[in-house]
Amino acid sequence: MNIKAIVYILTALTGLCVGSFLNVVIYRVPNAVSVAFPPSHCPKCAKNIKWYDNIPILSYILLRGKCRNCGCRISLRYPAVETVNCLLWLLCVFMLWDANIVYCIISMAVCSVMICIFIIDIDHCLIFYRFQIALALLAAAGMFTGQGAGVIDRLIGLAAGLVLFALIYLVFLFLIKREGIGIGDIILMATSGLLVGWQGIILVMFVSSVTASVILLTVRCLNKENDRFHEYPFAPFIVFGDLIALFFGGQIIDFYMRFVIGG
Ligand SMILES: [Zn+2]
């Protein structure tokens, strides 16, 4: 077996285990519970989960998605988070390992933090600063690998994300007299700029606003009640845009420059 195959297998297994830990983080951080203690337990019967019932994906399948003790349903979200983290990590190895191993590992960590931001914002309409700080530190570390956007591009991206989203925030406040996006979204956009650079942040804005418009309009149409003042999370769309920019930004921008602008 060659080294690359071993890297893929180890990445998949570690990705699943870290995904399992992300489930704990996603559930406990918003409830201000330590991620280390108490040990994993069933939210319904509170019985501690044995190690053999806590193996990513496998235990879920063997237990048919039910608690061994009380038989209550275990949310499909748990294996889903493990799978998505594993797949994103594999994508990092596939696309970035050969270019720069450090940058590849930083990108894996970025993906995991993004998953936390994505789900916690859906659950609570809130982005915790600790995730923003983690993302900013990872983006800053990424600058020193010489991969992705250049240092100047990233700093312009940071400023662009901050200023543009602050303007959108103010326009909403002025026009509809309430927050259209949250302060957390502005900071996330600034951190995203530091991560993917100014060209990347334009792509993030485009992808996030288009997907948000399509999905939120659909949700609104399906929701019969008048929910004009319902608060919707926006971070999942920024995260989606970030991941597109992180993995495919270079190709998309090249394509745009060559065929749309270059003629
Ligand atoms: Zn139980």
Side-chain angles (χ1 to χ4, degrees), residues 42-47 67-72:
C42 168
K44 196 167 178 211
C45 67
K47 191 169 171 72
C67 166
R68 188 188 286 275
N69 187 47
C70 71
C72 75

Side-chain angles (χ1 to χ4, degrees), residues 38-65:
S40 292
H41 53 272
C42 168
K44 196 167 178 211
C45 67
K47 191 169 171 72
N48 282 358
I49 298 167
K50 294 274 192 309
W51 67 267
Y52 50 80
D53 284 341
N54 213 0
I55 301 166
I57 300 183
L58 197 66
S59 295
Y60 187 88
I61 296 169
L62 291 176
L63 292 168
R64 294 201 185 87

